[in-house]
Amino acid sequence: MTQARKGDLIYVPSDVYLHRKDEHGAVTDYLMLKRPANLLVIESGNTNYEVLYNKKRWIVEKNKTYGVRND
């Protein structure tokens, strides 16, 4: 997949973990997707995306995601 940018949609399959971190980098919350989802990229880091899910910001590993095509 090519690098997704801020504002792009990404596909995240079921059974992938999303997590949240505090200002020190410690994980404060996590969840596992029970269903696949198309999520909006808010920020793109080296190995993670920050995405919007259920009105909250979450982090997902890039290698667990796929691009969404606009055919």
Side-chain angles (χ1 to χ4, degrees):
M1 171 184 152
T2 59
Q3 179 88 359
R5 296 176 294 184
K6 183 177 181 177
D8 289 345
L9 286 177
I10 57 172
Y11 173 81
V12 184
S14 60
D15 299 331
V16 170
Y17 282 96
L18 305 180
H19 63 277
R20 300 172 76 188
K21 293 183 179 182
D22 64 13
E23 62 275 358
H24 303 292
V27 174
T28 58
D29 196 9
Y30 67 93
L31 63 85
M32 185 177 67
L33 292 177
K34 296 191 186 313
R35 295 181 182 197
N38 289 319
L39 303 179
L40 178 67
V41 175
I42 298 171
E43 294 293 332
S44 178
N46 290 334
T47 60
N48 299 315
Y49 290 121
E50 186 172 358
V51 295
L52 190 62
Y53 179 73
N54 285 342
K55 300 180 183 179
K56 295 182 182 178
R57 292 174 174 248
W58 295 89
I59 298 169
V60 62
E61 294 177 28
K62 285 183 177 182
N63 64 355
K64 306 286 186 190
T65 67
Y66 300 91
V68 175
R69 292 178 46 169
N70 295 334
D71 288 342

